[in-house]
Amino acid sequence: MTGRFITFEGGDGAGKSTQIRRLAERLGEAGKSVVTTREPGGTPLAESIRNVILSGGARGFGAEGEALLFGAARADHVEKLIRPALLAGQWVLSDRFLDSTHVYQGLAGGVDETLLAALDRVTVGRTRPDLTVILDLPAELGLQRLAARQSAAGTAPDRFEGDALSLHQARRQAFLDIAAREPERCAVVDASRPEDGVADEIWRVVSARLLHPPRRPATRAGG
Ligand code: TYD
């Protein structure tokens, strides 16, 4: 029996970590064993790569070099945390995964898709999400939320958060394009609404697609 793998994606300030926490609570109440994690990160090695990238220390490698670093972190994360948890029957909820690389380094960052697809095969193999929740909101609103959160916490924008508004807008569109290409895997959720409404909609999606999926019609013998 293998577990289920759900990834959360979206622009900066969309509220992914809050929604992951809320979904984890609900799944726990439903009797599931849940592991929450994040990218870049999730294992000690990947967390150390996270610090290098998000501080801007790897900017000199260019978008392609950064993609390779995200990939190195991801390979460790998949091998040491995600795959063992799924094999043990746990539900894994990850704050970002493959799609972030395709959006930030690929579609909006200029790294060739063929290279990224090859990197995916090496780093994650067949460990792909069963469901990807894309938290969607206008880039301006995401940045406002982020600024409010950071001024309360006294922290500064990271390597990607400080980018120009037009780049944040391109990323939003890139996530929506992925969702349109892969509707069976992805669900776009309007994250501009109050937190409770977003959490309820995510729960509906998870219930319908993973907890109580409709039965496929039985194939008739013969004919
Ligand atoms: P984020 O989840 O926003 O971390 P935090 O909540 O601490 O800000 O992710 C970190 C940043 O890294 C985010 O701006 C997106 C970026 N990123 C990529 O560019 N490529 C990737 O493959 C991943 C996983 C993240």
Side-chain angles (χ1 to χ4, degrees):
M1 180 69 191
T2 60
R4 294 295 192 159
F5 184 21
I6 306 177
T7 58
F8 281 70
E9 300 277 7
D12 293 286
K16 287 178 283 87
S17 27
T18 305
Q19 292 301 333
I20 286 178
R21 187 174 37 77
R22 295 190 59 154
L23 177 60
E25 280 166 15
R26 273 183 160 168
L27 284 169
E29 285 160 13
K32 305 294 176 193
S33 166
V34 182
V35 177
T36 61
T37 186
R38 68 171 181 183
E39 287 213 342
T43 62
L45 197 54
E47 290 288 332
S48 64
I49 295 180
R50 175 187 179 90
N51 291 335
V52 174
I53 302 176
L54 296 191
S55 66
R59 197 190 280 261
F61 284 130
E64 217 164 77
E66 285 181 319
L68 296 178
L69 284 178
F70 279 113
R74 181 166 301 135
D76 194 61
H77 188 207
V78 168
E79 185 192 326
K80 303 218 180 89
L81 189 147
I82 297 175
R83 207 174 280 144
L86 292 172
L87 286 173
Q90 293 181 297
W91 287 55
V92 178
L93 312 184
S94 184
D95 187 336
R96 299 192 183 280
F97 195 61
L98 284 183
D99 298 309
S100 280
T101 306
H102 286 264
V103 167
Y104 283 75
Q105 283 67 52
L107 298 164
V111 179
D112 180 37
E113 268 298 310
T114 320
L115 184 149
L116 294 181
L119 192 61
D120 293 349
R121 283 195 296 278
V122 175
T123 55
V124 314
R126 282 189 292 178
T127 307
R128 309 275 169 152
D130 296 298
L131 170 67
T132 296
V133 176
I134 294 179
L135 292 180
D136 178 59
L137 83 175
E140 297 88 331
L141 185 55
L143 292 177
Q144 273 168 26
R145 286 186 183 176
L146 197 64
R149 205 190 305 150
Q150 288 177 338
S151 90
T155 53
D158 71 28
R159 151 80 180 86
F160 300 96
E161 290 162 354
D163 284 333
L165 176 63
S166 57
L167 194 45
H168 285 281
Q169 286 165 335
R171 289 168 186 158
R172 178 193 189 193
Q173 189 55 49
F175 278 119
L176 293 175
D177 292 344
I178 289 176
R181 269 203 313 276
E182 294 183 67
E184 295 204 343
R185 170 173 69 89
C186 300
V188 177
V189 171
D190 175 2
S192 64
R193 295 167 303 161
E195 193 186 304
D196 285 350
V198 178
D200 286 344
E201 190 180 337
I202 292 172
W203 183 245
R204 272 196 296 278
V205 170
V206 170
S207 301
R209 296 203 192 185
L210 298 180
L211 287 169
H212 314 290
R215 290 217 187 140
R216 289 176 190 277
T219 348
R220 268 183 290 156

